[in-house]
Amino acid sequence: MMYPRVPLLLCACVLSCVLGRVTPPAPGPYLPINGTNSWTLGANYPWNYYGGDFGTNSWGSMGVSTPKANATVTKQLSDIRSKGGRVIRWWLFSDGRAGITFDSSGTPTGLDAQVFKDLDAAITIARETNLYLCLSLFDFMFAYRASVVNGVQLGGHTAVIGNAQLYPPLLSNVLLPLFKRYANEPHILAWEVMNEPEWIISDLPQPSVNSQVDPVTMAQFWAFTKTIIDAVHDNTQQYVTVGSACLKWYRVYTSAFSQQKNLPVLELDFYQVHYYSWMNGGSENNDPDLGTVHFEPAKQPVGQLAGMKMPVVVGEFDASSNLSPLLDSFLGNGYAGAWPWSYNSNFQIDWTDYTNWAHAHASIIH
């Protein structure tokens, strides 16, 4: 594995002097990537080892910078690129089992010694394969009730989301060092605040709280998310998004909903939504909170999502069959990209269909 010709830390230091918020993308069927409008065909990687790709813990180091993992990730990301993928969605801190250090009270105290080594290695691979990364900071399992397995705590970090007194140490000790180091890295497309946060919010319209989490309120999650959005915009040239579980809840991310509920407006750069078969046939019609929406992106034009003022990407979906018609429908309905689930987890992608579609639409995938 060859490391970059110009050290990543040097790049970050040189580029940090030219910061300024990235221009928010206009609503529509494309995302600008390095100045070029692109239909963002990608894939969920989403991990080599869940929660272990970036950082270390008492189980040992298995992150991207270790030789075995580096070889595996390089081969797999190269494979995705060869099939026509351009964007990789990848879990960063997951359920908190590695990467972030905490004191005995649960306060974030820093990044462990392996995080930057692993991220540097991941970005090197992204550069060499010419892929763009959407890095998901936290999984909703970050808010699972804590369990300890062989000395490693899994989950148990609801307080980091719900207690505003923990936002300053989360920023100063964890997120700002991360964002500033990679402030202008062109192969980081976006930072995702959380994967499927709807499963942890107790008072969401028509809530569906996962039974294993300690939930938070909308007010708490909006405050947490706005804190991270502002940190990304103030310290990087990258986008920020949320990995929303279902179009059912699209309207909660609009400014109209925030104003209706006296919540801070979430200035996301694009909305990312997930789609699975359990949503088929689901819809809302003039719901006072959720509006009118089909839960299936194949049936729901983006232009008919009232109040949606940013691009929308289908960030997860089952692509094991019927892929080309799905991609055609997403494109036709005005979505700005599609990232099927997944390379390394369940719902294996029909890569032959994927590659053929990518080749047929090469003029819009940059």
Side-chain angles (χ1 to χ4, degrees):
M1 177 68 195
M2 293 182 64
Y3 280 79
R5 287 79 181 161
V6 180
L8 287 168
L9 181 57
L10 177 59
C11 289
C13 292
V14 171
L15 291 170
S16 64
C17 65
V18 293
L19 283 179
R21 177 180 172 174
V22 65
T23 302
Y30 299 102
L31 274 180
I33 299 180
N34 290 337
T36 301
N37 282 339
S38 179
W39 203 83
T40 58
L41 183 64
N44 281 269
Y45 181 49
W47 53 74
N48 184 35
Y49 298 104
Y50 177 86
D53 289 345
F54 304 99
T56 188
N57 57 33
S58 61
W59 296 346
S61 295
M62 57 191 77
V64 186
S65 65
T66 61
K68 181 179 178 181
N70 193 280
T72 297
V73 173
T74 298
K75 180 180 178 180
Q76 293 178 337
L77 266 59
S78 297
D79 187 42
I80 293 171
R81 182 68 189 97
S82 73
K83 290 172 166 56
R86 298 296 282 123
V87 177
I88 297 299
R89 184 166 174 257
W90 199 345
W91 267 230
L92 192 54
F93 299 124
S94 302
D95 61 359
R97 66 183 60 188
I100 302 174
T101 57
F102 300 88
D103 67 16
S104 59
S105 72
T107 299
T109 58
L111 294 165
D112 74 44
Q114 287 294 123
V115 170
F116 286 150
K117 295 177 184 178
D118 291 331
L119 266 168
D120 285 356
I123 291 169
T124 296
I125 297 168
R127 288 177 171 184
E128 293 180 346
T129 55
N130 201 19
L131 287 166
Y132 298 92
L133 306 180
C134 177
L135 295 171
S136 183
L137 290 167
F138 305 105
D139 190 7
F140 73 89
M141 289 193 287
F142 195 68
Y144 266 23
R145 287 184 285 278
S147 62
V148 177
V149 177
N150 295 330
V152 174
Q153 179 175 317
L154 315 182
H157 301 295
T158 295
V160 176
I161 304 166
N163 183 354
Q165 293 183 353
L166 296 186
Y167 300 169
L170 176 67
L171 285 176
S172 61
N173 298 334
V174 176
L175 296 181
L176 291 183
L178 185 71
F179 296 155
K180 290 180 178 180
R181 182 180 179 92
Y182 303 108
N184 280 17
E185 171 51 53
H187 286 273
I188 296 178
L189 174 68
W191 302 92
E192 178 184 309
V193 176
M194 183 172 285
N195 171 58
E196 301 192 349
E198 291 85 357
W199 310 135
I200 73 168
I201 304 172
S202 60
D203 56 347
L204 202 67
Q206 298 185 23
S208 185
V209 174
N210 185 287
S211 62
Q212 298 184 68
V213 307
D214 287 322
V216 296
T217 65
M218 284 195 296
Q220 290 171 318
F221 185 75
W222 259 242
F224 172 78
T225 300
K226 178 173 169 47
T227 297
I228 296 177
I229 290 171
D230 290 348
V232 172
H233 285 159
D234 290 346
N235 293 280
T236 85
Q237 275 286 295
Q238 291 124 7
Y239 299 137
V240 62
T241 187
V242 167
S244 177
C246 178
L247 267 176
K248 173 181 182 175
W249 290 294
Y250 92 88
R251 191 175 174 273
V252 307
Y253 297 100
T254 66
S255 59
F257 180 87
S258 292
Q259 292 161 4
Q260 175 185 333
K261 300 295 184 181
N262 293 316
L263 296 167
V265 173
L266 302 181
E267 294 184 333
L268 299 170
D269 294 302
F270 64 95
Y271 173 60
Q272 182 212 131
V273 69
H274 302 166
Y275 164 58
Y276 291 102
S277 60
W278 66 264
M279 304 170 197
N280 290 346
S283 66
E284 297 292 339
N285 187 22
N286 291 321
D287 183 273
D289 290 322
L290 300 175
T292 297
V293 58
H294 288 286
F295 299 169
E296 303 168 61
K299 294 183 178 180
Q300 177 61 62
V302 171
Q304 295 177 17
L305 294 172
M308 181 53 63
K309 299 178 181 179
M310 56 188 136
V312 181
V313 170
V314 184
E316 285 188 23
F317 64 101
D318 178 2
S320 58
S321 62
N322 200 40
L323 178 55
S324 284
L326 269 178
L327 292 174
D328 288 340
S329 68
F330 298 160
L331 178 62
N333 278 339
Y335 293 86
W339 308 340
W341 187 275
S342 69
Y343 192 91
N344 271 340
S345 189
N346 53 343
F347 297 122
Q348 292 301 301
I349 297 166
D350 181 343
W351 286 111
T352 299
D353 207 0
Y354 182 104
T355 301
N356 290 339
W357 197 93
H359 288 166
H361 295 81
S363 63
I364 62 170
I365 301 168
H366 303 291

